[in-house]
Coordinates of all heavy atoms in Angstrom, one line a residue:
M87 N -27.9 -19.9 94.3 CA -26.9 -20.5 93.4 C -26.7 -21.9 93.8 O -26.1 -22.2 94.9 CB -25.6 -19.7 93.6 CG -24.5 -20.1 92.6 SD -23.3 -18.8 92.4 CE -22.2 -19.2 93.7
A88 N -27.2 -22.9 93.0 CA -27.1 -24.3 93.4 C -25.7 -24.9 93.1 O -25.3 -25.8 93.7 CB -28.2 -25.1 92.6
N89 N -25.0 -24.3 92.1 CA -23.7 -24.8 91.8 C -22.6 -24.1 92.5 O -22.4 -22.9 92.3 CB -23.5 -24.7 90.3 CG -24.4 -25.6 89.5 OD1 -24.3 -26.8 89.6 ND2 -25.3 -25.0 88.7
V90 N -22.0 -24.8 93.5 CA -20.9 -24.2 94.2 C -19.6 -24.7 93.7 O -19.4 -25.9 93.7 CB -21.1 -24.5 95.7 CG1 -20.0 -23.9 96.5 CG2 -22.4 -23.9 96.2
I91 N -18.7 -23.8 93.3 CA -17.4 -24.2 92.8 C -16.4 -24.2 93.9 O -16.3 -23.2 94.7 CB -17.0 -23.2 91.7 CG1 -18.1 -23.1 90.6 CG2 -15.7 -23.7 91.0 CD1 -18.5 -24.3 89.9
S92 N -15.6 -25.3 94.0 CA -14.6 -25.3 95.1 C -13.4 -24.6 94.7 O -13.1 -24.3 93.5 CB -14.3 -26.8 95.3 OG -13.6 -27.3 94.2
D93 N -12.6 -24.3 95.8 CA -11.3 -23.6 95.5 C -10.4 -24.4 94.7 O -9.6 -23.9 93.9 CB -10.6 -23.3 96.9 CG -11.4 -22.2 97.7 OD1 -12.1 -21.4 97.0 OD2 -11.3 -22.2 98.9
E94 N -10.5 -25.8 94.9 CA -9.6 -26.7 94.1 C -9.9 -26.6 92.6 O -9.0 -26.7 91.8 CB -9.7 -28.1 94.6 CG -9.2 -28.3 96.0 CD -10.2 -27.9 97.1 OE1 -11.4 -27.8 96.9 OE2 -9.7 -27.6 98.2
T95 N -11.2 -26.5 92.3 CA -11.6 -26.4 90.9 C -11.1 -25.1 90.3 O -10.5 -25.2 89.2 CB -13.1 -26.4 90.8 OG1 -13.6 -27.7 91.4 CG2 -13.6 -26.4 89.3
I96 N -11.2 -24.0 91.0 CA -10.6 -22.8 90.5 C -9.1 -22.8 90.3 O -8.6 -22.4 89.3 CB -11.0 -21.6 91.4 CG1 -12.5 -21.4 91.4 CG2 -10.3 -20.3 91.0 CD1 -13.1 -21.0 90.1
E97 N -8.4 -23.4 91.3 CA -7.0 -23.6 91.1 C -6.6 -24.4 89.9 O -5.8 -24.1 89.1 CB -6.4 -24.3 92.4 CG -6.3 -23.4 93.6 CD -5.2 -22.4 93.5 OE1 -4.2 -22.7 92.8 OE2 -5.4 -21.3 94.1
Y98 N -7.4 -25.5 89.7 CA -7.1 -26.4 88.6 C -7.4 -25.7 87.2 O -6.6 -25.8 86.3 CB -8.0 -27.7 88.7 CG -7.8 -28.7 87.6 CD1 -6.6 -29.4 87.5 CD2 -8.8 -29.0 86.7 CE1 -6.4 -30.3 86.5 CE2 -8.6 -29.9 85.7 CZ -7.4 -30.6 85.6 OH -7.2 -31.5 84.6
V99 N -8.5 -25.0 87.2 CA -8.8 -24.2 85.9 C -7.7 -23.2 85.7 O -7.3 -23.0 84.6 CB -10.2 -23.6 86.0 CG1 -10.5 -22.7 84.9 CG2 -11.3 -24.7 86.0
G100 N -7.3 -22.5 86.8 CA -6.2 -21.5 86.6 C -4.9 -22.1 86.1 O -4.3 -21.6 85.2
I101 N -4.6 -23.4 86.5 CA -3.4 -24.1 86.0 C -3.6 -24.4 84.6 O -2.7 -24.2 83.8 CB -3.1 -25.3 86.9 CG1 -2.7 -24.9 88.3 CG2 -2.1 -26.2 86.2 CD1 -2.6 -26.1 89.3
L102 N -4.8 -24.9 84.2 CA -5.0 -25.3 82.8 C -4.9 -24.1 81.9 O -4.4 -24.2 80.8 CB -6.4 -26.0 82.7 CG -6.5 -27.4 83.3 CD1 -8.0 -27.8 83.1 CD2 -5.6 -28.3 82.6
A103 N -5.5 -22.9 82.4 CA -5.5 -21.7 81.6 C -4.2 -20.9 81.7 O -4.1 -19.9 81.1 CB -6.7 -20.9 82.0
K104 N -3.3 -21.4 82.5 CA -2.0 -20.8 82.8 C -2.2 -19.3 83.2 O -1.6 -18.4 82.7 CB -1.1 -20.8 81.5 CG -0.7 -22.2 81.1 CD 0.2 -22.2 79.9 CE 0.5 -23.5 79.4 NZ 1.3 -24.4 80.0
L105 N -3.1 -19.2 84.2 CA -3.4 -17.9 84.8 C -3.0 -17.9 86.3 O -3.1 -18.9 87.0 CB -4.9 -17.7 84.8 CG -5.6 -17.5 83.4 CD1 -7.1 -17.4 83.5 CD2 -5.0 -16.3 82.7
E106 N -2.5 -16.7 86.7 CA -2.2 -16.5 88.1 C -3.3 -15.6 88.6 O -3.3 -14.4 88.2 CB -0.8 -15.9 88.3 CG 0.3 -16.9 88.0 CD 1.7 -16.2 88.2 OE1 1.8 -15.4 89.1 OE2 2.6 -16.6 87.6
L107 N -4.2 -16.1 89.4 CA -5.3 -15.3 89.9 C -5.1 -14.9 91.4 O -4.6 -15.7 92.2 CB -6.6 -16.1 89.8 CG -7.0 -16.6 88.4 CD1 -8.2 -17.5 88.5 CD2 -7.3 -15.4 87.5
S108 N -5.4 -13.7 91.7 CA -5.3 -13.2 93.1 C -6.5 -13.8 93.8 O -7.5 -14.4 93.2 CB -5.4 -11.7 93.1 OG -6.7 -11.2 92.7
G109 N -6.5 -13.6 95.1 CA -7.7 -14.2 95.9 C -9.0 -13.6 95.5 O -10.0 -14.3 95.4
E110 N -9.0 -12.3 95.2 CA -10.2 -11.6 94.8 C -10.7 -12.1 93.4 O -11.9 -12.3 93.2 CB -9.9 -10.1 94.7 CG -11.1 -9.2 94.4 CD -10.8 -7.8 94.4 OE1 -10.3 -7.3 95.5 OE2 -11.0 -7.1 93.4
E111 N -9.7 -12.3 92.5 CA -10.1 -12.9 91.2 C -10.6 -14.3 91.3 O -11.5 -14.7 90.5 CB -8.8 -12.8 90.3 CG -8.4 -11.4 89.9 CD -7.1 -11.3 89.2 OE1 -6.2 -12.1 89.5 OE2 -7.0 -10.5 88.3
K112 N -10.0 -15.1 92.2 CA -10.5 -16.4 92.4 C -12.0 -16.4 92.9 O -12.8 -17.2 92.4 CB -9.6 -17.2 93.4 CG -8.3 -17.5 92.8 CD -7.4 -18.2 93.8 CE -6.0 -18.5 93.3 NZ -5.1 -19.1 94.3
E113 N -12.3 -15.5 93.8 CA -13.7 -15.5 94.3 C -14.6 -15.0 93.2 O -15.7 -15.6 93.1 CB -13.7 -14.5 95.5 CG -13.1 -15.0 96.8 CD -13.7 -16.3 97.2 OE1 -15.0 -16.4 97.2 OE2 -13.0 -17.2 97.6
Q114 N -14.2 -14.1 92.4 CA -15.1 -13.6 91.3 C -15.2 -14.7 90.3 O -16.3 -14.9 89.7 CB -14.5 -12.4 90.6 CG -15.3 -11.8 89.6 CD -16.7 -11.3 90.1 OE1 -16.7 -10.7 91.2 NE2 -17.7 -11.6 89.4
A115 N -14.2 -15.5 90.0 CA -14.2 -16.6 89.1 C -15.2 -17.7 89.6 O -16.0 -18.3 88.8 CB -12.9 -17.2 88.8
K116 N -15.2 -17.9 90.9 CA -16.1 -18.9 91.5 C -17.5 -18.5 91.3 O -18.4 -19.3 90.9 CB -15.8 -19.1 93.0 CG -14.6 -20.0 93.2 CD -14.2 -20.0 94.7 CE -15.2 -20.3 95.7 NZ -14.7 -20.4 97.0
K117 N -17.8 -17.2 91.5 CA -19.2 -16.7 91.3 C -19.6 -16.8 89.9 O -20.7 -17.2 89.5 CB -19.3 -15.3 91.8 CG -19.1 -15.1 93.3 CD -19.2 -13.6 93.7 CE -18.9 -13.4 95.1 NZ -18.8 -12.0 95.5
D118 N -18.7 -16.4 89.0 CA -19.0 -16.4 87.5 C -19.3 -17.8 87.0 O -20.2 -18.1 86.3 CB -17.8 -15.8 86.7 CG -17.7 -14.3 86.9 OD1 -18.7 -13.7 87.4 OD2 -16.7 -13.8 86.6
M119 N -18.4 -18.8 87.4 CA -18.6 -20.2 87.0 C -19.9 -20.7 87.6 O -20.6 -21.5 86.9 CB -17.4 -21.0 87.4 CG -16.1 -20.7 86.6 SD -14.7 -21.7 87.2 CE -15.1 -23.2 86.4
G120 N -20.2 -20.4 88.8 CA -21.4 -20.9 89.4 C -22.6 -20.3 88.6 O -23.6 -21.1 88.4
R121 N -22.6 -19.1 88.3 CA -23.7 -18.5 87.5 C -23.8 -19.2 86.1 O -24.9 -19.4 85.6 CB -23.5 -17.0 87.3 CG -23.9 -16.2 88.5 CD -24.1 -14.7 88.3 NE -22.9 -14.1 87.6 CZ -22.0 -13.4 88.3 NH1 -22.0 -13.3 89.6 NH2 -21.0 -12.9 87.6
M122 N -22.7 -19.5 85.5 CA -22.7 -20.2 84.2 C -23.4 -21.5 84.3 O -24.2 -21.9 83.5 CB -21.3 -20.3 83.6 CG -20.7 -19.0 83.1 SD -19.1 -19.3 82.3 CE -18.1 -18.6 83.5
L123 N -23.0 -22.3 85.4 CA -23.5 -23.6 85.6 C -25.0 -23.5 85.9 O -25.8 -24.4 85.5 CB -22.8 -24.4 86.6 CG -21.3 -24.7 86.2 CD1 -20.6 -25.3 87.4 CD2 -21.3 -25.7 85.1
D124 N -25.4 -22.5 86.7 CA -26.9 -22.3 87.0 C -27.6 -22.1 85.7 O -28.7 -22.6 85.5 CB -27.1 -21.2 87.9 CG -26.6 -21.5 89.4 OD1 -26.5 -22.7 89.7 OD2 -26.4 -20.5 90.1
Y125 N -27.1 -21.3 84.8 CA -27.7 -21.0 83.5 C -27.9 -22.3 82.7 O -28.9 -22.5 82.1 CB -27.0 -19.9 82.8 CG -27.6 -19.5 81.5 CD1 -28.8 -18.8 81.5 CD2 -27.1 -19.9 80.3 CE1 -29.5 -18.4 80.4 CE2 -27.7 -19.5 79.1 CZ -28.9 -18.7 79.1 OH -29.5 -18.4 78.0
I126 N -26.8 -23.1 82.7 CA -26.9 -24.4 82.0 C -28.0 -25.3 82.5 O -28.7 -25.9 81.8 CB -25.5 -25.1 81.9 CG1 -24.6 -24.2 81.1 CG2 -25.6 -26.5 81.4 CD1 -23.1 -24.7 81.1
D127 N -28.1 -25.3 83.9 CA -29.1 -26.1 84.5 C -30.5 -25.6 84.1 O -31.4 -26.4 83.9 CB -29.0 -26.0 86.1 CG -27.8 -26.8 86.6 OD1 -27.3 -27.7 85.8 OD2 -27.4 -26.6 87.7
K128 N -30.6 -24.3 84.0 CA -31.9 -23.7 83.6 C -32.2 -24.1 82.2 O -33.4 -24.4 81.8 CB -31.9 -22.2 83.7 CG -33.2 -21.5 83.5 CD -33.1 -20.0 83.8 CE -34.4 -19.5 84.1 NZ -34.8 -19.4 85.5
L129 N -31.2 -24.1 81.3 CA -31.4 -24.5 79.9 C -31.8 -26.0 79.8 O -32.6 -26.4 79.0 CB -30.2 -24.3 79.1 CG -29.9 -22.8 78.8 CD1 -28.5 -22.7 78.0 CD2 -30.9 -22.2 78.0
N130 N -31.3 -26.8 80.7 CA -31.6 -28.3 80.7 C -33.0 -28.5 81.1 O -33.5 -29.6 80.9 CB -30.6 -29.0 81.7 CG -29.3 -29.2 81.0 OD1 -29.1 -29.2 79.8 ND2 -28.2 -29.3 81.9
E131 N -33.7 -27.6 81.8 CA -35.1 -27.7 82.2 C -36.0 -27.6 81.0 O -37.2 -28.0 81.1 CB -35.5 -26.7 83.2 CG -34.7 -26.8 84.5 CD -35.0 -25.7 85.5 OE1 -35.9 -24.8 85.2 OE2 -34.4 -25.7 86.5
L132 N -35.6 -27.0 79.9 CA -36.4 -26.8 78.7 C -36.8 -28.1 78.0 O -36.0 -29.1 78.0 CB -35.7 -25.9 77.7 CG -35.4 -24.5 78.1 CD1 -34.6 -23.8 77.1 CD2 -36.7 -23.7 78.3
D133 N -38.0 -28.2 77.5 CA -38.5 -29.4 76.8 C -38.0 -29.2 75.4 O -38.5 -28.4 74.6 CB -40.0 -29.5 76.9 CG -40.5 -30.7 76.1 OD1 -39.8 -31.6 75.9 OD2 -41.7 -30.7 75.8
T134 N -37.1 -30.1 74.9 CA -36.6 -30.0 73.6 C -37.0 -31.2 72.7 O -36.4 -31.5 71.7 CB -35.1 -29.9 73.6 OG1 -34.5 -31.0 74.3 CG2 -34.6 -28.6 74.3
T135 N -38.1 -31.9 73.2 CA -38.5 -33.0 72.4 C -39.0 -32.5 71.0 O -39.7 -31.5 71.0 CB -39.6 -33.8 73.1 OG1 -40.7 -32.9 73.4 CG2 -39.1 -34.5 74.3
G136 N -38.7 -33.2 70.0 CA -39.1 -32.7 68.6 C -38.2 -31.6 68.0 O -38.5 -31.2 66.9
V137 N -37.2 -31.2 68.8 CA -36.3 -30.1 68.2 C -35.1 -30.8 67.7 O -34.4 -31.5 68.4 CB -36.0 -29.1 69.3 CG1 -35.0 -28.1 68.7 CG2 -37.2 -28.4 69.9
E138 N -34.9 -30.6 66.4 CA -33.7 -31.3 65.8 C -32.4 -30.6 66.2 O -32.3 -29.4 66.2 CB -33.9 -31.2 64.3 CG -32.9 -32.1 63.5 CD -33.2 -32.1 62.0 OE1 -34.3 -32.0 61.7 OE2 -32.2 -32.1 61.3
P139 N -31.4 -31.4 66.6 CA -30.1 -30.8 67.0 C -29.5 -30.1 65.8 O -29.7 -30.5 64.6 CB -29.2 -31.9 67.4 CG -30.2 -33.1 67.6 CD -31.4 -32.8 66.8
M140 N -28.8 -29.0 66.0 CA -28.2 -28.2 64.9 C -26.8 -27.8 65.3 O -26.4 -27.7 66.5 CB -29.0 -27.0 64.6 CG -29.2 -26.0 65.7 SD -30.2 -24.7 65.1 CE -31.1 -24.3 66.5
S141 N -25.9 -27.6 64.3 CA -24.6 -27.2 64.6 C -24.4 -25.7 64.5 O -23.3 -25.2 64.9 CB -23.6 -28.0 63.6 OG -23.9 -27.6 62.3
H142 N -25.4 -25.0 64.0 CA -25.3 -23.6 63.8 C -26.6 -23.0 64.0 O -27.6 -23.6 63.7 CB -24.7 -23.3 62.3 CG -24.1 -22.0 62.2 ND1 -24.9 -20.9 61.9 CD2 -22.9 -21.6 62.3 CE1 -24.1 -19.8 61.8 NE2 -22.9 -20.2 62.0
V143 N -26.6 -21.8 64.4 CA -27.9 -21.1 64.7 C -28.7 -20.8 63.4 O -29.9 -21.0 63.4 CB -27.6 -19.8 65.5 CG1 -28.9 -19.0 65.7 CG2 -26.9 -20.0 66.8
F144 N -28.0 -20.5 62.4 CA -28.6 -20.2 61.1 C -28.5 -21.4 60.2 O -27.6 -22.2 60.3 CB -28.0 -19.0 60.4 CG -28.0 -17.8 61.3 CD1 -26.9 -17.3 61.9 CD2 -29.2 -17.1 61.5 CE1 -26.9 -16.2 62.7 CE2 -29.2 -15.9 62.3 CZ -28.1 -15.5 62.9
Q145 N -29.5 -21.5 59.3 CA -29.4 -22.6 58.3 C -28.2 -22.2 57.3 O -28.3 -21.2 56.6 CB -30.7 -22.7 57.5 CG -31.8 -23.2 58.3 CD -31.6 -24.7 58.7 OE1 -31.0 -25.4 58.0 NE2 -32.2 -25.1 59.8
V146 N -27.2 -23.0 57.4 CA -26.0 -22.7 56.6 C -25.9 -23.7 55.5 O -25.9 -24.9 55.7 CB -24.7 -22.7 57.4 CG1 -23.5 -22.5 56.5 CG2 -24.8 -21.6 58.5
Q147 N -25.9 -23.2 54.3 CA -25.7 -24.1 53.1 C -24.2 -23.9 52.7 O -23.5 -23.2 53.3 CB -26.7 -23.7 52.0 CG -28.1 -23.8 52.4 CD -28.6 -25.2 52.7 OE1 -28.1 -26.2 52.2 NE2 -29.4 -25.3 53.7
N148 N -23.9 -24.5 51.6 CA -22.5 -24.3 51.1 C -22.3 -22.9 50.7 O -23.0 -22.3 49.8 CB -22.3 -25.2 49.8 CG -20.9 -25.1 49.3 OD1 -20.1 -24.4 49.9 ND2 -20.6 -25.9 48.3
V149 N -21.5 -22.2 51.5 CA -21.3 -20.8 51.3 C -20.2 -20.4 50.4 O -19.8 -19.3 50.2 CB -21.1 -20.1 52.7 CG1 -22.3 -20.2 53.5 CG2 -19.9 -20.7 53.4
F150 N -19.6 -21.4 49.8 CA -18.4 -21.2 48.9 C -19.0 -20.8 47.5 O -19.9 -21.4 47.0 CB -17.5 -22.4 48.8 CG -16.9 -22.8 50.1 CD1 -17.3 -24.0 50.7 CD2 -16.0 -22.0 50.7 CE1 -16.7 -24.3 51.9 CE2 -15.4 -22.3 51.9 CZ -15.8 -23.5 52.5
R151 N -18.3 -19.9 46.9 CA -18.7 -19.5 45.5 C -18.1 -20.4 44.5 O -17.2 -21.1 44.8 CB -18.3 -18.0 45.3 CG -16.8 -17.8 45.3 CD -16.5 -16.4 44.8 NE -15.1 -16.2 45.0 CZ -14.1 -16.6 44.3 NH1 -14.3 -17.4 43.3 NH2 -12.8 -16.3 44.5
E152 N -18.6 -20.4 43.4 CA -18.1 -21.2 42.3 C -16.8 -20.6 41.9 O -16.6 -19.4 41.9 CB -19.0 -21.2 41.1 CG -20.3 -22.0 41.3 CD -20.0 -23.5 41.5 OE1 -19.2 -24.0 40.8 OE2 -20.7 -24.1 42.3
D153 N -15.8 -21.4 41.5 CA -14.5 -20.9 41.0 C -14.7 -20.4 39.5 O -15.2 -21.2 38.7 CB -13.5 -22.0 41.0 CG -13.0 -22.4 42.4 OD1 -13.1 -21.5 43.2 OD2 -12.5 -23.5 42.6
V154 N -14.4 -19.2 39.3 CA -14.6 -18.6 38.0 C -13.3 -18.0 37.6 O -12.7 -17.2 38.4 CB -15.7 -17.4 38.1 CG1 -15.8 -16.8 36.7 CG2 -17.0 -18.0 38.5
V155 N -12.8 -18.3 36.5 CA -11.5 -17.8 36.0 C -11.7 -16.4 35.5 O -12.6 -16.1 34.7 CB -10.9 -18.7 34.8 CG1 -9.7 -18.1 34.3 CG2 -10.7 -20.1 35.3
T156 N -11.0 -15.5 36.1 CA -11.2 -14.1 35.7 C -10.1 -13.5 34.8 O -10.3 -12.5 34.1 CB -11.3 -13.2 37.0 OG1 -10.2 -13.3 37.8 CG2 -12.6 -13.6 37.8
N157 N -8.9 -14.1 34.9 CA -7.7 -13.5 34.2 C -7.3 -14.4 33.0 O -6.4 -14.1 32.3 CB -6.5 -13.3 35.1 CG -6.1 -14.6 35.8 OD1 -6.7 -15.6 35.7 ND2 -4.9 -14.5 36.4
G158 N -8.0 -15.5 32.8 CA -7.7 -16.4 31.6 C -6.3 -17.0 31.7 O -5.6 -17.0 32.7
D159 N -5.9 -17.6 30.6 CA -4.6 -18.2 30.5 C -3.5 -17.2 30.1 O -3.5 -16.8 28.9 CB -4.7 -19.4 29.5 CG -3.3 -20.1 29.4 OD1 -2.5 -20.0 30.3 OD2 -3.2 -20.9 28.4
D160 N -2.7 -16.8 31.0 CA -1.7 -15.8 30.7 C -0.3 -16.4 30.8 O 0.7 -15.8 31.1 CB -1.8 -14.7 31.7 CG -1.2 -13.4 31.2 OD1 -1.0 -13.2 30.0 OD2 -0.9 -12.5 32.1
S161 N -0.2 -17.7 30.4 CA 1.0 -18.5 30.6 C 2.2 -17.9 29.7 O 3.3 -18.0 30.1 CB 0.8 -19.9 30.3 OG 0.3 -20.2 29.0
E162 N 1.8 -17.4 28.5 CA 2.9 -16.8 27.7 C 3.6 -15.7 28.3 O 4.8 -15.6 28.3 CB 2.3 -16.4 26.3 CG 1.9 -17.5 25.4 CD 1.3 -17.0 24.1 OE1 1.5 -15.8 23.7 OE2 0.6 -17.8 23.5
N163 N 2.9 -14.8 28.9 CA 3.5 -13.6 29.6 C 4.2 -14.1 30.9 O 5.3 -13.5 31.2 CB 2.4 -12.6 30.0 CG 2.0 -11.8 28.8 OD1 2.7 -11.6 27.8 ND2 0.7 -11.4 28.8
I164 N 3.7 -15.1 31.5 CA 4.4 -15.6 32.8 C 5.7 -16.2 32.4 O 6.7 -16.0 33.1 CB 3.5 -16.6 33.5 CG1 2.2 -15.9 34.0 CG2 4.2 -17.3 34.6 CD1 1.2 -16.7 34.6
V165 N 5.8 -17.0 31.4 CA 7.0 -17.7 31.0 C 8.0 -16.7 30.5 O 9.2 -17.0 30.5 CB 6.7 -18.8 29.9 CG1 7.9 -19.5 29.4 CG2 5.8 -19.9 30.6
K166 N 7.6 -15.6 30.0 CA 8.5 -14.6 29.5 C 9.5 -14.1 30.6 O 10.6 -13.6 30.4 CB 7.8 -13.3 28.9 CG 7.2 -13.6 27.6 CD 6.5 -12.3 27.1 CE 5.8 -12.6 25.8 NZ 5.0 -11.4 25.4
N167 N 9.0 -14.2 31.9 CA 9.8 -13.8 33.0 C 10.8 -14.8 33.5 O 11.7 -14.6 34.3 CB 8.9 -13.5 34.2 CG 8.1 -12.3 34.0 OD1 8.5 -11.3 33.4 ND2 6.8 -12.3 34.4
A168 N 10.8 -16.0 32.9 CA 11.7 -17.1 33.3 C 13.1 -16.9 32.7 O 13.2 -16.4 31.6 CB 11.1 -18.4 32.7
P169 N 14.1 -17.2 33.5 CA 15.5 -17.1 33.0 C 15.7 -18.0 31.9 O 16.4 -17.7 30.9 CB 16.3 -17.5 34.2 CG 15.5 -17.5 35.4 CD 14.1 -17.6 34.9
E170 N 15.0 -19.2 31.9 CA 15.2 -20.1 30.8 C 13.8 -20.8 30.6 O 13.2 -21.2 31.6 CB 16.3 -21.2 31.1 CG 16.6 -22.0 30.0 CD 17.8 -23.0 30.3 OE1 18.5 -22.7 31.3 OE2 18.0 -23.9 29.5
E171 N 13.4 -21.1 29.3 CA 12.1 -21.6 29.0 C 12.2 -22.6 27.9 O 13.1 -22.5 27.0 CB 11.2 -20.4 28.6 CG 9.9 -20.8 28.1 CD 9.8 -20.9 26.6 OE1 10.5 -20.2 25.9 OE2 9.0 -21.7 26.1
K172 N 11.4 -23.7 28.0 CA 11.4 -24.7 26.9 C 10.0 -25.2 26.8 O 9.4 -25.7 27.7 CB 12.4 -25.8 27.3 CG 12.4 -26.9 26.2 CD 13.4 -28.0 26.6 CE 13.4 -29.1 25.6 NZ 14.2 -30.2 25.9
D173 N 9.5 -25.1 25.6 CA 8.1 -25.6 25.3 C 7.1 -25.0 26.2 O 6.1 -25.7 26.7 CB 8.1 -27.2 25.4 CG 9.0 -27.8 24.3 OD1 9.2 -27.2 23.2 OD2 9.5 -28.9 24.6
G174 N 7.2 -23.7 26.5 CA 6.2 -23.1 27.4 C 6.3 -23.4 28.8 O 5.4 -23.1 29.6
M175 N 7.4 -24.0 29.3 CA 7.6 -24.3 30.7 C 8.9 -23.7 31.2 O 9.9 -23.5 30.4 CB 7.6 -25.8 30.9 CG 6.3 -26.5 30.5 SD 6.3 -28.2 30.7 CE 6.8 -28.7 29.1
F176 N 9.0 -23.6 32.5 CA 10.2 -23.1 33.2 C 11.3 -24.2 33.1 O 10.9 -25.4 33.3 CB 10.0 -22.7 34.6 CG 9.2 -21.5 34.8 CD1 7.9 -21.5 35.0 CD2 9.9 -20.3 34.8 CE1 7.2 -20.3 35.2 CE2 9.2 -19.1 35.0 CZ 7.8 -19.1 35.2
V177 N 12.5 -23.9 32.9 CA 13.6 -24.9 32.9 C 14.3 -24.6 34.3 O 14.7 -23.5 34.5 CB 14.6 -24.7 31.8 CG1 15.8 -25.7 31.9 CG2 13.9 -25.0 30.4
V178 N 14.4 -25.6 35.1 CA 15.1 -25.5 36.4 C 16.2 -26.5 36.5 O 16.2 -27.5 35.8 CB 14.1 -25.6 37.5 CG1 13.0 -24.5 37.5 CG2 13.4 -27.0 37.5
P179 N 17.1 -26.3 37.4 CA 18.2 -27.3 37.6 C 17.6 -28.6 38.1 O 16.7 -28.6 38.9 CB 19.1 -26.6 38.6 CG 18.8 -25.2 38.7 CD 17.4 -25.1 38.2
R180 N 18.2 -29.7 37.7 CA 17.8 -31.0 38.2 C 18.2 -31.1 39.7 O 19.3 -30.7 40.1 CB 18.6 -32.1 37.4 CG 18.3 -33.5 37.9 CD 19.0 -34.5 37.1 NE 18.5 -34.5 35.7 CZ 17.9 -35.5 35.2 NH1 17.7 -36.6 35.9 NH2 17.4 -35.5 34.0
T181 N 17.3 -31.6 40.5 CA 17.5 -31.7 41.9 C 17.6 -33.1 42.4 O 18.2 -33.4 43.5 CB 16.4 -31.0 42.8 OG1 15.1 -31.6 42.4 CG2 16.3 -29.5 42.5
V182 N 17.2 -34.1 41.6 CA 17.2 -35.5 42.0 C 17.9 -36.3 40.9 O 17.6 -36.1 39.7 CB 15.8 -36.1 42.2 CG1 15.9 -37.6 42.6 CG2 15.1 -35.3 43.3
E183 N 18.9 -37.1 41.3 CA 19.6 -37.9 40.3 C 19.0 -39.2 40.1 O 18.4 -39.8 41.0 CB 21.1 -38.0 40.7 CG 21.8 -36.7 40.7 CD 22.0 -36.1 39.3 OE1 22.1 -36.8 38.3 OE2 21.9 -34.8 39.3

């Protein structure tokens, strides 16, 4: 394990994460973080020349569907529920003078 994590680093990360770790949990966290950093070092050894950076593992295109009106214009029925209506619109009290 080339990456050795200090006790101060674990304390600092615990403070940032708002965690209270026991001594045993701190030791386990040090080992886990060291293994993660070793793995990142191993990934850094790979030759990535000619590999285009990507933001997602899969080729993602616009995944949004087209907006399609399914219920049509039902404004007449909607305005029927209004306490007061004028020219197909709701009448509400004036709020700004």
Side-chain angles (χ1 to χ4, degrees):
M87 187 161 86
N89 292 296
V90 178
I91 308 298
S92 69
D93 291 333
E94 292 81 22
T95 302
I96 294 298
E97 284 289 330
Y98 182 67
V99 170
I101 291 168
L102 290 176
K104 297 184 189 286
L105 295 174
E106 290 184 28
L107 300 173
S108 68
E110 186 178 300
E111 291 171 326
K112 288 178 185 176
E113 287 303 314
Q114 186 61 44
K116 282 171 53 173
K117 290 178 188 174
D118 290 344
M119 289 178 78
R121 282 197 304 265
M122 284 185 255
L123 292 174
D124 288 341
Y125 184 70
I126 291 170
D127 287 344
K128 187 172 203 98
L129 290 175
N130 284 333
E131 294 173 7
L132 295 172
D133 180 20
T134 57
T135 55
V137 177
E138 189 175 326
M140 59 180 145
S141 62
H142 200 276
V143 177
F144 303 107
Q145 291 292 334
V146 177
Q147 302 297 326
N148 186 358
V149 294
F150 299 112
R151 63 172 171 76
E152 291 293 320
D153 286 336
V154 178
V155 177
T156 57
N157 60 350
D159 183 16
D160 201 20
S161 57
E162 287 180 21
N163 287 329
I164 293 171
V165 174
K166 284 181 186 175
N167 292 320
E170 191 175 343
E171 173 262 333
K172 179 180 177 185
D173 298 328
M175 293 178 271
F176 289 94
V177 175
V178 296
R180 179 180 290 248
T181 56
V182 179
E183 295 296 326

